[in-house]
Amino acid sequence: MTVIKSTARLGRLGLVPDALVLPHWLALTFSLLIFVGLGYAYRSHGIKGVGAISTQVLAIVFVQLSTKLVLQHGFPYPTCIALVHFSLVWLVSSFMTRVDWKRYVVDKEELVKDAAWYGRRILPIAVLQT
């Protein structure tokens, strides 16, 4: 089996924009190596740091692939997807930084203060993104 296969039939169906595609095993191997590299690079941050950066990478990949999929089927609001992504990233990252993991307590004052900062600085970027 060759590393690169021709996908002329899929290209005619409009499923693959390019004429070449990599096999799944190669894509999965590459993805695994990325996460191994992230784990190695962030090992000093502990499991929480590696988990946070890995979750962020997975969220970015998921949003990119889902945006591509829905735009191919005529969804006219890509900004909506970006807004939801930015909002969820803020929510998850705020939760992860505000929780006292030993007692599982959320500092609500810091979360509200953080939400106001997010609304002033990040939300306009999410709304105006094209």
Side-chain angles (χ1 to χ4, degrees):
M1 178 178 193
T2 61
V3 174
I4 300 175
K5 296 190 274 186
S6 174
T7 58
R9 185 172 143 254
L10 293 176
R12 285 193 303 272
L13 294 174
L15 299 175
V16 179
D18 302 323
L20 300 174
V21 68
L22 297 174
H24 288 282
W25 67 267
L26 184 60
L28 290 174
T29 303
F30 182 73
S31 299
L32 180 64
L33 288 174
I34 288 175
F35 284 103
V36 167
L38 285 173
Y40 181 75
Y42 284 87
R43 68 187 181 280
S44 64
H45 294 277
I47 193 72
K48 184 178 172 184
V50 173
I53 193 70
S54 297
T55 303
Q56 176 64 25
V57 170
L58 287 173
I60 290 169
V61 169
F62 176 75
V63 168
Q64 289 173 342
L65 293 176
S66 61
T67 302
K68 180 181 178 185
L69 181 66
V70 296
L71 291 178
Q72 285 177 343
H73 295 288
F75 185 72
Y77 307 107
T79 305
C80 175
I81 296 171
L83 177 63
V84 170
H85 176 240
F86 275 116
S87 300
L88 289 176
V89 166
W90 167 76
L91 185 65
V92 170
S93 61
S94 292
F95 178 77
M96 288 184 74
T97 58
R98 301 295 176 233
V99 169
D100 181 358
W101 291 98
K102 292 183 173 74
R103 297 181 317 180
Y104 298 104
V105 177
V106 177
D107 186 356
K108 292 179 182 164
E109 288 181 14
E110 286 294 319
L111 197 58
V112 169
K113 186 172 124 181
D114 211 27
W117 178 88
Y118 175 81
R120 285 191 316 272
R121 305 250 171 107
I122 304 300
L123 190 61
I125 297 169
V127 171
L128 296 175
Q129 180 183 5
T130 55

